[in-house]
Amino acid sequence: GLMWGDMGAASQDAWLALMEALLSDEGYARILAEWYADDALAAASGGGGGGPGGGQLLYGRDYYWVALIGAPS
């Protein structure tokens, strides 16, 4: 898979277009809402997470992964 934050703008736009074409309107809206919520967590935690005691939690859409699973038919 590819980490969202490692992809360039053109690749991200292509993935968004693919997701929008494949998902229902509600499904696509839910994904965007989850990303916005995760970005809010990142902003509230100082930009990326790090739970209590120095945990490795990272927040924000940059830390989401995209992948195609299975053989094309």
Side-chain angles (χ1 to χ4, degrees), residues 49-65:
Q56 297 301 310
L57 299 175
L58 298 173
Y59 302 116
R61 79 179 72 199
D62 285 349
Y63 297 103
Y64 277 74
W65 292 75

